[in-house]
Amino acid sequence: MELTKEEEQILQGESGEGPRAALSLLIDVGDFFEASKLIPISSAHISGVSYLTGGDGLIDQLSLFVEKGAKVSIPSTLNPCGMDRVNWENMYIDLNFATKQFEILKLFDELDVSTTCSCTPYDFGHLLSKGQHVAWAESSAVTFANSFFGARTNKEDSLSVLAAAIIGKTPYYGFHLSENRVPNVKVVVEANLNEYTDYSILGEIVGKTFSKHSFQYGAIPYFEKITNPRPQELKALGAALASFGTQLYHVDGITPEQELLAYAEIVDEMVITQDMLEKTYQSFYPETIPDLTVIGCPNANLEEIQNVAKLVKNKKIKEGKEFWVFSSAAQKAIAQSSGYIDILQAAGVKFYTDTCPEVMPYDKMRFTSILTNSVKAAHYIAAPSLNDLPTYILPLKKCVEEFFNE
Amino acid sequence: MNKYYGKALASMGDQVIEGEAIVTSTPITLLGFVNPKEGIITQEGHDLNGLSITNKIFVFPKGIGSTVGPYTLINLMKNGKGPMAIINRESDQGTVSGCSVARIPMGYGYDDDPTKFIKSGDNLRLTLSHGKSIIEILS
């Protein structure tokens, strides 16, 4: 990879040990992908925040950067951490975990990263424009950035994104180049997509079907016959696809890079029928109804919060059941001003911020299985080295029907 | 003896590692399916399920899954349960970053498929020099 004079100087340690270590990592990654150079980026979204997923290694790594005096050089937002910063005790989080989590958040603050933790920073001001080069981590956010905004980011990992945020640059390869953004698989949707979970299930079917191919940058589906999707529905589709390695998809007539569709190099295609959708729903159907429902993977936007509020209004949660909604503190403030939080509280819904259904540790004495409306949540909550809890899927309306009395 | 020539991370400098290989041709999901406290693969249905990678030369095609995966490599090393080295077929960004920061010697980019020409239990020598690597199967 070719380095500028300024980059050579950073590598010699002239800007200090923090930038030197960060640049050294970017060079390893750039060389690996045979990038020709580093390019400037306008923002970063950083993953690797929860003590559950990052462990003590995360604290060590951040401490190293802080001790070396490193700061991020571009606007940078932060992924969910492992608990609600204010209401962590209500989530049955223990003090040791909370102490470690607060330490991690303080370290990010010292690096000048905005600590309004969420996997959907675009819902509170971290917006992107078409063609803009950025470095985002968090697979669902990467897919949204590439597909919804038409911005350009690779799926940065938690270490490379931190290095990119410090240097303000990322290796020029993969999704930063137009030729790698053209569709390679095609999906014709003959099924009716009526709500959020339908899109999540669609992502599961498509992701699984095309995972037999080994595309260098994952499958890039081109969807036909999806009409008038809401932003959160495209978010749900992308999040589910991302669990199978997709970082970009296009929708005929909807997503911003329509000009690339003419260059599609389709190597496989499929038709989605109503029957396929229903069969996949059945494979996630709960054997017995769990005691906890989690909504907000990825973090709920205002419309999703409003939808929950509409469904639970004038109802009351059933004895022994808990219903949790996850989003950012920013969305909570807006939902509060719209009156939705009061409705949720009256019905017995618990609203948690700063975290998400996947990166928090569940109290396993209390909960032995989980219900959700998101494929991505189901995959990760069940992962053996994360929470290892059986997780089932129902659409929001049915979750509410199971958990609330009139 | 056959020698296989590939690449290495430039930041790792020059070093020689010898050890026993553990090999899979199935991708590894670092976050969630590798236990960082015990160094054991915990993925039902995976051909390495239940096996330890600690102090072995860990040969797999690539890492997949969460962008937080690299911290699993850092935590494995911190807990003294990490692999001695990693050899990949195609590799991926997370494994490259994780190895770079956790200082795990890593080789990739061979003409032949290392998950085929290396068998579990083989005794290997991995030589890293100036961004290049050589694999030798000793026995």
Side-chain angles (χ1 to χ4, degrees):
Chain A
M1 197 164 57
E2 208 150 301
L3 298 184
T4 64
K5 203 167 173 193
E6 191 200 355
E7 288 159 4
E8 291 282 6
Q9 286 167 347
I10 293 172
L11 202 57
Q12 300 303 320
E14 289 181 22
S15 304
E17 180 52 22
R20 192 211 59 78
L23 184 58
S24 169
L25 171 58
L26 295 181
I27 291 171
D28 275 346
V29 172
D31 281 343
F32 172 74
F33 286 104
E34 297 178 340
S36 55
K37 59 180 178 179
L38 298 173
I39 51 160
I41 46 173
S42 43
S43 74
H45 179 70
I46 299 171
S47 69
V49 189
S50 170
Y51 181 63
L52 177 71
T53 57
D56 290 321
L58 170 59
I59 296 177
D60 289 357
Q61 191 56 33
L62 294 174
S63 303
L64 266 177
F65 275 125
V66 168
E67 281 161 22
K68 290 166 182 170
K71 302 272 182 198
V72 297
S73 63
I74 49 173
S76 303
T77 49
L78 206 53
N79 226 30
C81 73
M83 61 187 203
D84 185 308
R85 237 177 292 206
V86 179
N87 296 309
W88 54 271
E89 281 172 297
N90 294 341
M91 306 177 80
Y92 316 110
I93 303 276
D94 69 52
L95 180 63
N96 176 54
F97 184 94
T99 306
K100 299 275 194 183
Q101 190 61 70
F102 281 123
E103 192 179 343
I104 292 166
L105 291 173
K106 183 166 177 292
L107 288 164
F108 274 116
D109 185 53
E110 288 185 41
L111 292 170
D112 278 354
V113 177
S114 159
T115 57
T116 302
C117 298
S118 174
C119 51
T120 60
Y122 43 84
D123 282 332
F124 52 95
H126 194 160
L127 299 173
L128 303 175
S129 55
K130 184 178 172 183
Q132 192 174 29
H133 295 284
V134 296
W136 280 29
E138 162 51 38
S139 62
S140 74
V142 166
T143 308
F144 199 82
N146 277 322
S147 313
F148 186 89
F149 291 114
R152 298 185 170 211
T153 181
N154 289 310
K155 189 178 90 176
E156 299 273 350
D157 66 78
S158 47
L159 294 169
S160 71
V161 74
L162 192 56
I166 290 168
I167 299 295
K169 292 179 181 177
T170 192
Y172 188 49
Y173 76 93
F175 287 109
H176 292 286
L177 299 155
S178 297
E179 64 257 37
N180 296 323
R181 300 178 65 88
V182 299
N184 52 24
V185 292
K186 186 174 161 183
V187 183
V188 181
V189 183
E190 298 290 358
N192 294 321
L193 303 175
N194 295 316
E195 65 102 69
Y196 186 89
T197 309
D198 293 348
Y199 284 82
S200 196
I201 294 286
L202 171 64
E204 164 81 11
I205 300 169
V206 172
K208 198 175 249 177
T209 302
F210 294 131
S211 61
K212 61 176 181 271
H213 299 283
S214 58
F215 299 112
Q216 190 179 6
Y217 301 111
I220 304 175
Y222 162 30
F223 289 93
E224 278 186 358
K225 299 198 180 178
I226 291 181
T227 46
N228 293 324
R230 300 298 303 151
Q232 66 271 17
E233 292 168 342
L234 292 176
K235 173 185 76 175
L237 172 59
L241 285 170
S243 19
F244 295 93
T246 282
Q247 301 166 52
L248 165 66
Y249 66 89
H250 303 279
V251 182
D252 186 33
I254 305 277
T255 50
E257 293 181 297
Q258 296 291 310
E259 70 279 8
L260 292 180
L261 303 184
Y263 301 95
E265 293 166 14
I266 303 299
V267 300
D268 201 353
E269 52 184 284
M270 68 186 304
V271 176
I272 303 290
T273 62
Q274 199 64 33
D275 188 49
M276 289 161 81
L277 212 61
E278 275 157 23
K279 281 214 169 86
T280 307
Y281 263 115
Q282 277 164 22
S283 70
F284 288 107
Y285 196 84
E287 292 154 26
T288 53
I289 297 296
D291 288 337
L292 173 63
T293 290
V294 293
I295 303 293
C297 169
N299 278 177
N301 68 11
L302 189 65
E303 199 172 306
E304 293 172 77
I305 298 167
Q306 183 188 19
N307 288 340
V308 179
K310 273 186 196 162
L311 289 167
V312 302
K313 194 171 186 178
N314 300 324
K315 293 187 181 134
K316 196 74 201 163
I317 188 124
K318 289 180 183 171
E319 186 73 31
K321 301 282 181 195
E322 298 206 24
F323 196 98
W324 296 1
V325 175
F326 293 78
S327 190
S328 62
Q331 294 300 301
K332 186 181 182 181
I334 302 171
Q336 182 87 56
S337 75
S338 299
Y340 305 144
I341 300 295
D342 292 341
I343 296 171
L344 296 180
Q345 276 171 352
V349 173
K350 293 183 178 173
F351 196 104
Y352 292 122
T353 65
D354 314 311
T355 184
C356 84
E358 292 164 42
V359 299
M360 59 151 296
Y362 292 89
D363 179 350
K364 291 186 190 169
M365 302 298 284
R366 206 174 287 267
F367 306 114
T368 53
S369 65
I370 308 283
L371 185 63
T372 183
N373 66 341
S374 158
V375 160
K376 186 188 176 187
H379 283 308
Y380 280 97
I381 295 170
S385 295
L386 290 174
N387 279 297
D388 200 14
L389 287 168
T391 306
Y392 306 102
I393 298 173
L394 287 177
L396 176 63
K397 196 163 173 265
K398 288 194 177 155
C399 293
V400 170
E401 280 169 12
E402 293 290 349
F403 272 64
F404 292 83
N405 291 318
E406 289 297 328
Chain B
M1 187 175 14
N2 271 346
K3 289 188 177 182
Y4 301 89
Y5 295 88
K7 298 175 187 170
L9 303 182
S11 72
M12 294 304 297
D14 297 352
Q15 45 183 312
V16 181
I17 300 99
E18 284 185 18
E20 184 190 334
I22 181 164
V23 184
T24 177
S25 58
T26 310
I28 294 290
T29 312
L30 287 170
L31 181 69
F33 298 94
V34 179
N35 184 321
K37 292 201 172 90
E38 291 163 15
I40 288 171
I41 310 284
T42 55
Q43 184 170 5
E44 226 169 275
H46 196 285
D47 53 336
L48 297 187
N49 186 33
L51 297 181
S52 168
I53 57 167
T54 303
N55 292 327
K56 303 247 173 79
I57 297 183
F58 187 19
V59 184
F60 59 97
K62 62 177 176 179
I64 53 172
S66 167
T67 62
V68 192
Y71 283 116
T72 300
L73 292 175
I74 293 180
N75 285 315
L76 279 166
M77 297 308 276
K78 184 181 168 68
N79 296 329
K81 297 292 180 182
M84 193 180 267
I86 283 177
I87 294 173
N88 277 173
R89 186 173 67 203
E90 54 268 59
S91 201
D92 65 289
Q93 168 149 11
T95 306
V96 169
S97 287
C99 288
S100 175
V101 173
R103 309 314 290 158
I104 302 170
M106 183 210 169
Y108 65 92
Y110 305 93
D111 287 338
D112 298 313
D113 179 353
T115 69
K116 292 217 174 87
F117 67 73
I118 304 170
K119 306 278 177 242
S120 281
D122 282 356
N123 193 21
L124 302 184
R125 179 185 295 145
L126 177 68
T127 306
L128 307 183
S129 176
H130 292 93
K132 304 220 179 302
S133 67
I134 304 168
I135 301 170
E136 295 166 87
I137 300 172
L138 303 175
S139 59

